[in-house]
Amino acid sequence: MNRRSQDAPADTRRRRFIVAVSRATMAAGLLGGYGVFGSVLGRFLYPAGDSGTVWQFVTPTDRLAVGDSLIYTTPAGAEVHVTRRDDTGATGDFTALSNVCPHLGCQVHWQPQHNRYFCPCHNGVFDREGRGVSGPPEGMVLSGYPIEVRGGMVFIKVEATPLVVPERRS
C-alpha cells in the first residue's frame, strides 16, 4: 500500500479545515466591514442632537456702548469678539465673531475708529460682519457665533466642555 493513499484522509480533513477557517474568517471580515459601514451610515442619516452647545451669558447690554467690543472666552477656551454695532437694544445690535484669523490663526483686533477687525500678521482687514475685505484673508470669513439678547443681557451659543474636577488627595 502506498503511503500517499494512507495520508489521503488526513490531507482531506486538513484541507476541509483550512477551507472552513478561511470561509469563517472571510465572513467575519465582511460582517465587520458592513457593520462599520452601517454604523457610519446610521450616524449620517440620524445625527445626534445639538447636545454639545449651550447659551452663555456674556454681559449686560448697557455695559457695551455702540462701537465697543469685548473679548469673551468660552468654556472650551475659544476667544470671541462680542461687538455692539447699534443702540436699539435688539439682538441685531451685536455680533459675536472668532478672535482667530482664518488665514494664519493670528489674533484679530477690533478697531472702533475704522469700524473693522484688523489682523496684524499681514495687515488683513475684516468688515464689521467678519468678511475679509483686504490683505491675505480677503474673501475669508471670521467664524461667527449665534447671539441673542434677552432681558437686557447678551448671550452667545458656544461649545460646552465638561467640567473637570480634580481628585481629592487624602
Side-chain angles (χ1 to χ4, degrees):
M1 193 179 236
N2 187 339
R3 178 158 164 73
R4 187 164 177 87
S5 62
Q6 288 176 350
D7 292 340
D11 286 345
T12 304
R13 280 181 276 161
R14 210 174 298 134
R15 278 192 204 113
R16 285 184 186 156
F17 175 75
I18 290 172
V19 168
V21 168
S22 297
R23 286 181 180 165
T25 303
M26 187 183 310
L30 285 171
L31 287 174
Y34 283 123
V36 169
F37 175 73
S39 172
V40 169
L41 183 63
R43 286 179 180 259
F44 176 75
L45 294 175
Y46 304 103
D50 192 17
S51 62
T53 58
V54 294
W55 285 98
Q56 290 278 297
F57 168 74
V58 177
T59 186
T61 56
D62 58 0
R63 293 254 176 104
L64 274 180
V66 174
D68 283 351
S69 182
L70 64 84
I71 302 281
Y72 174 77
T73 304
T74 70
E79 291 185 346
V80 179
H81 276 284
V82 177
T83 308
R84 187 162 195 169
R85 302 181 303 189
D86 205 352
D87 198 17
T88 65
T91 297
D93 291 354
F94 298 89
T95 58
L97 299 171
S98 172
N99 189 35
V100 179
C101 178
H103 175 237
L104 287 179
C106 299
Q107 291 186 346
V108 297
H109 307 285
W110 172 247
Q111 294 180 329
Q113 68 276 19
H114 299 296
N115 200 24
R116 69 182 188 182
Y117 296 94
F118 178 74
C119 178
C121 289
H122 292 107
N123 294 326
V125 176
F126 297 88
D127 67 9
R128 69 185 208 154
E129 303 294 326
R131 292 181 298 258
V133 293
S134 73
E138 187 172 353
M140 296 180 181
V141 180
L142 292 173
S143 300
Y145 293 82
I147 195 161
E148 192 173 285
V149 174
R150 288 184 257 150
M153 297 181 288
V154 179
F155 294 86
I156 63 173
K157 194 172 192 179
V158 296
E159 270 191 49
T161 55
L163 193 63
V164 178
V165 180
E167 292 183 22
R168 286 187 165 186
R169 293 185 182 175
S170 300

PDB file of all heavy atoms in Angstrom, residues 80-92:
ATOM      1  N   VAL A  80     -13.753  85.084  21.720  1.00  0.00           N
ATOM      2  CA  VAL A  80     -14.783  85.607  20.837  1.00  0.00           C
ATOM      3  C   VAL A  80     -14.909  87.111  21.044  1.00  0.00           C
ATOM      4  O   VAL A  80     -14.990  87.582  22.178  1.00  0.00           O
ATOM      5  CB  VAL A  80     -16.147  84.935  21.135  1.00  0.00           C
ATOM      6  CG1 VAL A  80     -17.234  85.484  20.232  1.00  0.00           C
ATOM      7  CG2 VAL A  80     -16.047  83.431  21.012  1.00  0.00           C
ATOM      8  N   HIS A  81     -14.912  87.870  19.924  1.00  0.00           N
ATOM      9  CA  HIS A  81     -15.198  89.299  19.978  1.00  0.00           C
ATOM     10  C   HIS A  81     -16.710  89.474  20.018  1.00  0.00           C
ATOM     11  O   HIS A  81     -17.410  89.029  19.110  1.00  0.00           O
ATOM     12  CB  HIS A  81     -14.704  90.023  18.718  1.00  0.00           C
ATOM     13  CG  HIS A  81     -13.276  90.403  18.750  1.00  0.00           C
ATOM     14  ND1 HIS A  81     -12.815  91.460  19.481  1.00  0.00           N
ATOM     15  CD2 HIS A  81     -12.197  89.871  18.132  1.00  0.00           C
ATOM     16  CE1 HIS A  81     -11.511  91.574  19.306  1.00  0.00           C
ATOM     17  NE2 HIS A  81     -11.109  90.598  18.498  1.00  0.00           N
ATOM     18  N   VAL A  82     -17.223  90.115  21.053  1.00  0.00           N
ATOM     19  CA  VAL A  82     -18.629  90.496  21.102  1.00  0.00           C
ATOM     20  C   VAL A  82     -18.642  92.006  20.910  1.00  0.00           C
ATOM     21  O   VAL A  82     -18.113  92.749  21.741  1.00  0.00           O
ATOM     22  CB  VAL A  82     -19.291  90.088  22.425  1.00  0.00           C
ATOM     23  CG1 VAL A  82     -20.733  90.554  22.473  1.00  0.00           C
ATOM     24  CG2 VAL A  82     -19.200  88.582  22.616  1.00  0.00           C
ATOM     25  N   THR A  83     -19.206  92.451  19.787  1.00  0.00           N
ATOM     26  CA  THR A  83     -19.146  93.852  19.385  1.00  0.00           C
ATOM     27  C   THR A  83     -20.546  94.417  19.255  1.00  0.00           C
ATOM     28  O   THR A  83     -21.432  93.770  18.705  1.00  0.00           O
ATOM     29  CB  THR A  83     -18.422  93.981  18.022  1.00  0.00           C
ATOM     30  OG1 THR A  83     -17.163  93.301  18.110  1.00  0.00           O
ATOM     31  CG2 THR A  83     -18.192  95.417  17.652  1.00  0.00           C
ATOM     32  N   ARG A  84     -20.722  95.638  19.772  1.00  0.00           N
ATOM     33  CA  ARG A  84     -22.015  96.319  19.644  1.00  0.00           C
ATOM     34  C   ARG A  84     -21.966  97.254  18.452  1.00  0.00           C
ATOM     35  O   ARG A  84     -21.094  98.102  18.354  1.00  0.00           O
ATOM     36  CB  ARG A  84     -22.346  97.088  20.912  1.00  0.00           C
ATOM     37  CG  ARG A  84     -23.748  97.664  20.871  1.00  0.00           C
ATOM     38  CD  ARG A  84     -24.256  98.051  22.207  1.00  0.00           C
ATOM     39  NE  ARG A  84     -25.685  98.262  22.149  1.00  0.00           N
ATOM     40  CZ  ARG A  84     -26.435  98.403  23.196  1.00  0.00           C
ATOM     41  NH1 ARG A  84     -25.889  98.354  24.397  1.00  0.00           N
ATOM     42  NH2 ARG A  84     -27.728  98.604  23.086  1.00  0.00           N
ATOM     43  N   ARG A  85     -22.941  97.103  17.536  1.00  0.00           N
ATOM     44  CA  ARG A  85     -22.978  97.900  16.309  1.00  0.00           C
ATOM     45  C   ARG A  85     -24.068  98.949  16.309  1.00  0.00           C
ATOM     46  O   ARG A  85     -24.006  99.896  15.544  1.00  0.00           O
ATOM     47  CB  ARG A  85     -23.188  96.982  15.109  1.00  0.00           C
ATOM     48  CG  ARG A  85     -22.112  95.931  14.979  1.00  0.00           C
ATOM     49  CD  ARG A  85     -22.330  95.066  13.793  1.00  0.00           C
ATOM     50  NE  ARG A  85     -23.647  94.421  13.822  1.00  0.00           N
ATOM     51  CZ  ARG A  85     -24.046  93.481  13.002  1.00  0.00           C
ATOM     52  NH1 ARG A  85     -23.240  93.067  12.072  1.00  0.00           N
ATOM     53  NH2 ARG A  85     -25.232  92.945  13.095  1.00  0.00           N
ATOM     54  N   ASP A  86     -25.106  98.791  17.142  1.00  0.00           N
ATOM     55  CA  ASP A  86     -26.241  99.718  17.126  1.00  0.00           C
ATOM     56  C   ASP A  86     -26.802  99.839  18.535  1.00  0.00           C
ATOM     57  O   ASP A  86     -26.364  99.141  19.449  1.00  0.00           O
ATOM     58  CB  ASP A  86     -27.305  99.210  16.147  1.00  0.00           C
ATOM     59  CG  ASP A  86     -28.185 100.323  15.597  1.00  0.00           C
ATOM     60  OD1 ASP A  86     -28.083 101.463  16.084  1.00  0.00           O
ATOM     61  OD2 ASP A  86     -28.966 100.040  14.666  1.00  0.00           O
ATOM     62  N   ASP A  87     -27.797 100.713  18.715  1.00  0.00           N
ATOM     63  CA  ASP A  87     -28.300 101.012  20.057  1.00  0.00           C
ATOM     64  C   ASP A  87     -29.804 100.801  20.188  1.00  0.00           C
ATOM     65  O   ASP A  87     -30.467 101.493  20.942  1.00  0.00           O
ATOM     66  CB  ASP A  87     -27.936 102.452  20.422  1.00  0.00           C
ATOM     67  CG  ASP A  87     -28.010 102.702  21.916  1.00  0.00           C
ATOM     68  OD1 ASP A  87     -28.014 101.714  22.678  1.00  0.00           O
ATOM     69  OD2 ASP A  87     -28.068 103.872  22.317  1.00  0.00           O
ATOM     70  N   THR A  88     -30.368  99.826  19.458  1.00  0.00           N
ATOM     71  CA  THR A  88     -31.813  99.594  19.554  1.00  0.00           C
ATOM     72  C   THR A  88     -32.171  98.656  20.702  1.00  0.00           C
ATOM     73  O   THR A  88     -33.330  98.549  21.063  1.00  0.00           O
ATOM     74  CB  THR A  88     -32.360  98.995  18.239  1.00  0.00           C
ATOM     75  OG1 THR A  88     -31.791  97.706  18.049  1.00  0.00           O
ATOM     76  CG2 THR A  88     -32.062  99.895  17.057  1.00  0.00           C
ATOM     77  N   GLY A  89     -31.188  97.946  21.250  1.00  0.00           N
ATOM     78  CA  GLY A  89     -31.441  97.003  22.335  1.00  0.00           C
ATOM     79  C   GLY A  89     -31.867  95.633  21.838  1.00  0.00           C
ATOM     80  O   GLY A  89     -32.248  94.779  22.620  1.00  0.00           O
ATOM     81  N   ALA A  90     -31.784  95.413  20.515  1.00  0.00           N
ATOM     82  CA  ALA A  90     -32.188  94.130  19.933  1.00  0.00           C
ATOM     83  C   ALA A  90     -30.974  93.245  19.681  1.00  0.00           C
ATOM     84  O   ALA A  90     -29.831  93.691  19.745  1.00  0.00           O
ATOM     85  CB  ALA A  90     -32.933  94.381  18.624  1.00  0.00           C
ATOM     86  N   THR A  91     -31.246  92.011  19.334  1.00  0.00           N
ATOM     87  CA  THR A  91     -30.187  91.043  19.045  1.00  0.00           C
ATOM     88  C   THR A  91     -29.307  91.514  17.895  1.00  0.00           C
ATOM     89  O   THR A  91     -28.090  91.316  17.917  1.00  0.00           O
ATOM     90  CB  THR A  91     -30.807  89.663  18.722  1.00  0.00           C
ATOM     91  OG1 THR A  91     -31.505  89.212  19.880  1.00  0.00           O
ATOM     92  CG2 THR A  91     -29.750  88.652  18.356  1.00  0.00           C
ATOM     93  N   GLY A  92     -29.882  92.151  16.886  1.00  0.00           N
ATOM     94  CA  GLY A  92     -29.135  92.610  15.726  1.00  0.00           C
ATOM     95  C   GLY A  92     -28.102  93.679  16.024  1.00  0.00           C
ATOM     96  O   GLY A  92     -27.270  94.005  15.175  1.00  0.00           O
TER      97      GLY A  92
END
